[in-house]
């Protein structure tokens, strides 16, 4: 498993650097802007009052824009699930299906390596890659806050990232599960991406329309705390997100253990029914 | 203690959706054998091999590889097997050496790197280039090296010489023979009948997911119909030869007669002894002709 983990993590190297450094630079840009907001607080608050209340509510109540948690929510954390969701959905859906479609999984699986070891090695590499990207982003805020009025401790600053981690792992493992169930990685990524965007809009619209609160309770992003986590992490919500991620990962593993490995290319629409499989018994 | 057979397959069935790929395949391959597995595209060769490695799951039947059930003990089976897929795909971003070292690590590092270099040298394979820059033939060489590098007890080779030039095809056949000399079992599929005929002791022919023939390569060729061309000093009545049991007159052109002989030649030779024979030639069919005879109904349908 450790060889698979190392190799997969090495393959994530480019994505870790690309996403991580991109977010690092974004953090360095976002933090100094907070000082301008604070200096011109009254003008900004006046400006916000002119916006329709629905618009303000959609973005999670930007009336608290001048507070650290409000500012970080609006300027960074509110849209991070969508931005980094692209990474997690693509990485999750391609974790096994990408190599299978390229035809390279066939030979790897012919080595003395159990399906469980391959699955866990790759999943662990995905988790570590996600953590590394978030850590680089977190580091940029911690560094930049030394020269800013944005005064949040490094520990508090890590809390929204934990909430974001929960969301990313959930959608990554959902994409992985879908790649095990649907005929192609492309379709799995599209479906998981659609669910991510739908979750974002349902959660945001539920702040405007109370009638949507029921369905919003089913939306993973309803349990994402954004910048508000600085004031205190909701452990139950985080555990819920992580538990859902673990459930999707277990189902994906269960399916991977039982399915045929394709020689290459995308699969067909035929969905095999696991319990119809007749086990080969000793004779 | 008797060692189990290298491969034992009983009643193996596999469906892709509703389409049957294997319909009750039965096979036995002994230890230390070189076994050729023949069949046209889509006959079930690759499916059979992939079932042996637990890459795909059969719908019925039993498989034993080196005495182990691949579904129950896939890791133990794969540790003792070297596999070359028919449609070899390698990670493009690695170098040849990087790919081989990765495969060696997946085998727990139990690979003699000196042997890897020796194999690469014999196949004229440079270890430095990136896989993405290799020709199809050179990628195939990487596949051959990774299949052999841990000196497996059983080699499962799906079209091992595909894309190789004749010199390298010859070298791969040498490597197969050497593996066998070190008591490895070799199970390989091929479309190149001459190479199967050259190295395989026994062959199985598969058609539409069913084994249609399993025989020793030599006996398969020996017991097949032979052709004989006889030239006489003067015109003779071909019917005289046609009356000999097992002999059919295919054509007669003046003093030359083309015959087809089934079984022993004894009767024909006795009949010819009474005639003014000037020249007598016989030819055995190649494995390819036997193969084509088995599949001519498929070819007819395809036309």
């Amino acid at each position: 498993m450790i060889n698979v983990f190392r190799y997969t993590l090495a393959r994530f190297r480019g994505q870790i650097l690309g996403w991580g450094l991109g977010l690092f630079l974004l953090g360095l840009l976002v933090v100094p802007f907070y000082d301008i907001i604070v200096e011109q607080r009254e003008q900004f608050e006046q400006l916000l009052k002119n916006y329709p209340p629905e618009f303000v509510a959609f973005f999670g109540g930007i009336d608290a824009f001048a507070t650290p948690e409000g500012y970080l929510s609006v300027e960074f954390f509110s849209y991070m699930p969508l931005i980094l969701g692209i990474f997690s959905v693509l990485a999750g859906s391609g974790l096994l299906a990408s190599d299978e479609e390229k035809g390279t999984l066939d030979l790897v699986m012919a080595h003395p390596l159990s399906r469980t070891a391959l699955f866990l090695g790759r999943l662990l590499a995905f988790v570590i890659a996600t953590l590394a990207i978030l850590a680089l982003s977190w580091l940029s805020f911690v560094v930049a806050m030394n020269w800013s009025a944005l005064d949040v401790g490094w520990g508090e600053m890590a809390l929204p990232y934990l909430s974001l981690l929960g969301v990313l792992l959930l959608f990554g493992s959902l994409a992985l599960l879908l790649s095990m169930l649907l005929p192609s990685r492309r379709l799995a990524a599209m479906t998981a991406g659609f669910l991510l965007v739908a979750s974002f809009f349902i959660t945001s619209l539920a702040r405007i329309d109370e009638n949507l609160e029921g369905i919003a309770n089913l939306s993973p992003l309803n349990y994402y705390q954004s910048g508000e986590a600085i004031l205190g992490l909701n452990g139950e919500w985080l555990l819920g997100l992580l538990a859902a991620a673990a459930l999707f990962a277990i189902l994906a593993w269960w399916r991977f253990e039982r399915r045929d490995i394709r020689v290459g290319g995308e699969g067909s629409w035929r969905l095999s029914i696991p319990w119809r499989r007749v086990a080969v018994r000793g004779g | 203690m008797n060692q189990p057979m290298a491969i034992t397959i009983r009643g193996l069935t596999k469906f892709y959706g509703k389409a049957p790929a294997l319909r009750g395949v039965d096979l036995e391959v002994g230890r230390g054998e070189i076994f050729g597995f023949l069949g046209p595209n889509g006959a079930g060769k690759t499916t059979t091999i992939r079932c042996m490695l637990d890459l795909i799951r059969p719908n019925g039947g039993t498989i034993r590889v080196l005495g182990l059930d691949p579904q129950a003990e896939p890791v133990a089976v794969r540790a003792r097997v070297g596999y070359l897929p028919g449609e070899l795909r390698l990670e493009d971003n690695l170098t040849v050496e990087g790919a081989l070292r990765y495969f060696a690590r997946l085998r727990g590092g139990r690979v003699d790197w000196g042997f890897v270099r020796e194999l690469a040298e014999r196949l004229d394979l440079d270890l430095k280039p990136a896989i993405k820059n290799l020709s199809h033939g050179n990628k195939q060489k990487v596949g051959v090296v990774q299949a052999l590098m841990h000196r497996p007890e059983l080699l499962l080779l799906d079209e091992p010489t595909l894309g190789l030039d004749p010199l390298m095809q010859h070298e791969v056949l040498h490597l197969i023979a050497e593996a066998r000399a070190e008591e490895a079992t070799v199970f390989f599929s091929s479309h190149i009948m001459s190479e199967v005929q050259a190295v395989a002791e026994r062959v199985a022919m598969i058609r539409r997911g069913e084994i249609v023939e399993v025989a020793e390569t030599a006996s398969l060729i020996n017991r097949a119909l032979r052709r004989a061309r006889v030239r006489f000093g003067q015109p003779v009545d071909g019917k005289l030869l046609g009356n000999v049991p097992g002999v059919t007159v295919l054509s007669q052109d003046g003093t030359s007669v083309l015959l087809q002989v089934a079984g022993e030649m004894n009767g024909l030779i006795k009949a010819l002894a009474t005639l003014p024979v000037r020249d007598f030639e016989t030819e055995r069919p190649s494995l390819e002709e036997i193969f084509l005879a088995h599949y001519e109904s498929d070819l007819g349908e395809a036309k």
Side-chain angles (χ1 to χ4, degrees), chain A residues 3 7 11 102-103 106-107 109-113 115 257-258 260-261 270 277-278 280-283, chain B residues 14 17 50 54-59 61-62 64 71 75 78 83 85 88-89 91 102-103 105 107 146:
Chain A
N3 286 316
Y7 176 71
R11 288 208 310 192
K102 280 193 288 179
D106 191 52
L107 187 54
M109 287 298 303
H111 284 75
L113 176 73
R115 292 188 185 208
E257 277 286 312
R258 283 154 183 80
D260 287 350
I261 305 294
R270 182 181 64 83
R277 184 173 63 82
V278 179
V280 177
R281 300 287 175 221
Chain B
K14 174 68 185 172
R50 297 182 85 236
D54 191 41
L55 296 172
I56 52 175
R57 304 277 164 73
N59 295 97
T62 62
R64 289 292 175 273
Q71 271 203 288
V75 176
R78 293 178 199 146
Y83 170 57
L88 177 69
R89 299 277 188 281
E91 194 61 57
Y102 175 54
F103 291 134
R105 280 197 294 274
R107 295 201 170 276
Q146 66 79 31

Side-chain angles (χ1 to χ4, degrees), chain B residues 154-272:
Chain B
L154 172 64
L155 278 162
L156 298 177
L157 309 174
D158 199 353
E159 304 281 352
T161 58
L162 195 73
L164 297 179
D165 63 50
L167 274 176
M168 285 303 125
Q169 285 180 11
H170 190 68
E171 192 59 36
V172 168
L173 296 183
H174 261 296
L175 289 170
I176 287 174
E178 285 173 23
R180 191 252 163 135
E182 291 177 13
E183 299 185 347
T185 306
V186 183
F187 182 94
F188 79 109
S189 76
S190 178
H191 281 109
I192 305 171
M193 297 302 140
S194 58
E195 71 182 28
V196 179
Q197 194 173 339
V199 297
E201 292 144 325
R202 287 200 305 146
V203 292
M205 294 190 188
I206 185 167
R207 182 175 65 181
R208 294 179 185 171
E210 287 177 303
I211 300 293
V212 291
E213 177 90 58
V214 181
E216 288 180 6
T217 314
S219 78
L220 192 66
I221 293 167
N222 282 343
R223 71 178 156 82
L225 299 174
R226 277 177 284 193
R227 284 180 182 180
R229 182 174 291 281
V230 192
R231 289 190 186 83
F232 298 98
Q234 59 193 68
V236 297
D237 185 1
K239 285 178 187 167
L240 286 173
L241 299 172
N243 290 334
V244 176
V247 176
T248 310
V249 178
L250 295 177
S251 66
Q252 183 166 9
D253 177 19
T255 56
S256 178
V257 182
L258 182 64
L259 307 165
Q260 181 174 276
V261 186
E264 297 293 322
M265 298 283 278
N266 197 27
L268 175 64
I269 289 169
K270 281 179 179 167
L272 289 174

Side-chain angles (χ1 to χ4, degrees), chain A residues 233-245:
Chain A
L233 186 69
N234 186 326
E236 286 179 8
W237 283 11
L238 177 61
L239 281 177
L241 291 171
L242 293 175

